[in-house]
Amino acid sequence: MHQRTKIAVAVAMALNALTAFAQAQAEAEAPQRVEITGSRIRQVDLETAQPVSKITAQQIQATGLVTVGDILNQMTSSAPPTGFSKGSTLTSNLEMGGQYIDLRNLGPERLLVLVDGKRWTQSVNGYTDLSTVPTAMIERIEILKDGASAIYGSDAIAGVINIILKTRMTGGAVSAYKGINEGGDGKSEDYSLTYGAGDEKASMMFGVSHSRQRTVWARDREITKYSRGPNHPDAGLGGGPWGAIRLKDADGEWGDQMVLNHTGGKYGDGVGADVRNPANYHPASASINDDKYSTTNDMMFQAPTALTTIITKGEIALPKDMRLKTTAMYSERTSSTQNGGYPLQSATQDAYPVYIDKDSYFNPYGSSVAGAGNGQDLYFNRRTVERPRVTENRSQTLHIDAV
């Protein structure tokens, strides 16, 4: 009886060991779902002559920067030369106020931007605004440091940037940023809220962000106050606000320009003489800087912009080991620019020239001054400093993809 008990115990222990081994082997052989998010960009520099630079979420957080454009502008020397632009104040298109990357001066329209391996929304001119992607939802950024036009087409001549968003997020995150320049202008604000929930079967992420950048005037700093820099204060001056006229010569051609006498300078100060007196005009000369105007006096160096973005990303498991993923984004950006007043002249529209009529009361060579029948029309030009050129832009962007 005792011997039989020993054998039973030994058999039970062997069966338990075999069961545990079989269970461990089954767990080891169980298939695991591996998710690969990206594009045709290779992950290791040594695999190809086309090097790839990677920026992780931890590196992004360590920079303290709030937009993708600012982050990419801080790429180290291992990356190719990078140009970063928020849009020039001299432009008046819908790209004004956005954030664009220009690799090797080939133009932002020659750089392809992907989000999770899919092309991100572009403007009509082929520009991709990187400020529409919230940094809180980014897992990593991959930068292909060489052209990839053979794979992606002509819009990837300068390179490819692939922004990988987080697969899922549990909980929420709030960030706020406020800054100001040392000169007390150019205030910037950025606020963002992100939240996510879910598991392996289904997940959803949501993010909303709002950023605003205030104005910086060119006239407030010596380095930007002059068109050619502080060492050349009189270079690059434009036409002045003082009335300038031209008379027709004996051949019927417009003669040399004459400028109204005045007490002002290149900033439009002072007053002009009586415009009806022909003796109150002097011949125009390139050496008389007081007759010109410094357009940077009315120009913005940094234009004010405001951007609001809402983005969602969802994923759900389907039958037969299929999954549905979708991303939706809506953004609205407003911006404004101001430059010096328009240099109005008789030939502003060549097909429809406008002259000072010979019967005008303000014509110094008109009939009211020279006598009835002796007046003549005048060619004129003058910068309208009373009303600078102001452009208001409003751009709305919608992006939806599913796979």
Side-chain angles (χ1 to χ4, degrees):
M1 185 69 179
H2 182 68
Q3 183 68 19
R4 187 178 300 174
T5 302
K6 282 183 173 183
I7 296 173
V9 171
V11 171
M13 292 178 63
L15 289 175
N16 288 335
L18 289 173
T19 302
F21 175 76
Q23 183 177 359
Q25 186 177 11
E27 291 178 355
E29 294 177 355
Q32 297 180 353
R33 185 172 66 87
V34 178
E35 181 175 342
I36 300 175
T37 304
S39 63
R40 300 174 186 175
I41 301 177
R42 296 186 181 181
Q43 298 297 313
V44 183
D45 283 1
L46 299 178
E47 293 180 359
T48 174
Q50 296 179 323
V52 176
S53 178
K54 182 189 296 184
I55 303 175
T56 64
Q58 291 76 16
Q59 292 173 326
I60 292 174
Q61 186 177 8
T63 63
L65 301 174
V66 295
T67 65
V68 178
D70 290 331
I71 293 166
L72 294 177
N73 190 44
Q74 300 297 322
M75 286 192 298
T76 62
S77 58
S78 62
T82 305
F84 174 71
S85 173
K86 293 185 178 179
S88 171
T89 59
L90 291 173
T91 61
S92 58
N93 50 38
L94 292 178
E95 283 77 27
M96 179 62 223
Q99 295 184 336
Y100 315 102
I101 297 296
D102 182 4
L103 294 182
R104 291 183 294 279
N105 293 321
L106 293 177
E109 70 277 13
R110 295 296 180 221
L111 176 70
L112 178 61
V113 177
L114 308 174
V115 175
D116 285 340
K118 297 179 286 291
R119 292 174 183 259
W120 200 238
T121 301
Q122 296 179 333
S123 68
V124 176
N125 296 323
Y127 289 65
T128 302
D129 185 4
L130 294 172
S131 61
T132 58
V133 183
T135 57
M137 297 178 65
I138 295 177
E139 180 68 27
R140 68 182 184 275
I141 303 175
E142 299 172 353
I143 304 101
L144 179 62
K145 305 181 223 176
D146 202 352
S149 58
I151 300 175
Y152 295 101
S154 60
D155 53 350
I157 290 177
V160 182
I161 292 178
N162 189 21
I163 302 173
I164 309 298
L165 301 181
K166 295 178 180 178
T167 305
R168 63 183 56 88
M169 180 179 181
T170 302
V174 178
S175 68
Y177 168 85
K178 297 188 73 173
I180 189 172
N181 293 333
E182 185 178 359
D185 55 4
K187 294 180 180 179
S188 58
E189 305 171 5
D190 185 272
Y191 308 97
S192 67
L193 168 66
T194 55
Y195 183 81
D199 51 25
E200 287 288 336
K201 294 183 178 180
S203 62
M204 174 68 73
M205 289 191 299
F206 170 82
V208 58
S209 62
H210 176 76
S211 61
R212 182 181 293 273
Q213 184 79 48
R214 306 291 182 175
T215 309
V216 174
W217 292 99
R219 61 175 176 260
D220 292 339
R221 289 170 173 77
E222 287 294 313
I223 191 66
T224 58
K225 187 177 182 179
Y226 309 102
S227 299
R228 302 292 186 269
N231 294 331
H232 309 278
D234 294 329
L237 299 177
W242 314 109
I245 59 175
R246 292 183 181 181
L247 292 166
K248 283 189 175 180
D249 56 22
D251 298 328
E253 301 292 335
W254 294 112
D256 295 334
Q257 181 171 278
M258 295 183 294
V259 181
L260 180 69
N261 296 337
H262 58 89
T263 61
K266 60 184 179 182
Y267 295 115
D269 50 348
V271 295
D274 181 10
V275 298
R276 299 184 69 244
N277 187 349
N280 287 339
Y281 292 82
H282 61 271
S285 173
S287 62
I288 305 178
N289 291 324
D290 286 343
D291 288 346
K292 303 175 184 179
Y293 186 70
S294 177
T295 55
T296 55
N297 190 54
D298 297 327
M299 184 181 296
M300 293 177 178
F301 179 73
Q302 177 178 282
T305 61
L307 173 69
T308 301
T309 301
I310 301 175
I311 185 171
T312 62
K313 180 181 179 181
E315 180 178 350
I316 187 171
L318 300 177
K320 297 184 178 180
D321 201 27
M322 295 186 297
R323 303 185 73 85
L324 173 65
K325 303 177 184 179
T326 181
T327 303
M329 182 275 297
Y330 172 79
S331 70
E332 179 174 310
R333 184 180 66 245
T334 58
S335 61
S336 64
T337 61
Q338 178 176 309
N339 294 288
Y342 193 81
L344 187 64
Q345 56 178 318
S346 293
T348 296
Q349 297 187 41
D350 293 336
Y352 304 97
V354 178
Y355 305 110
I356 300 178
D357 189 78
K358 61 182 179 181
D359 294 326
S360 171
Y361 174 82
F362 297 99
N363 188 337
Y365 293 90
S367 300
S368 61
V369 178
N374 297 322
Q376 59 175 297
D377 295 340
L378 292 180
Y379 185 104
F380 78 94
N381 61 279
R382 180 183 181 274
R383 185 176 296 275
T384 55
V385 296
E386 297 84 1
R387 189 173 182 84
R389 285 174 286 179
V390 178
T391 303
E392 302 285 347
N393 290 321
R394 181 170 177 261
S395 176
Q396 295 174 303
T397 304
L398 176 66
H399 174 95
I400 300 176
D401 65 64
V403 62

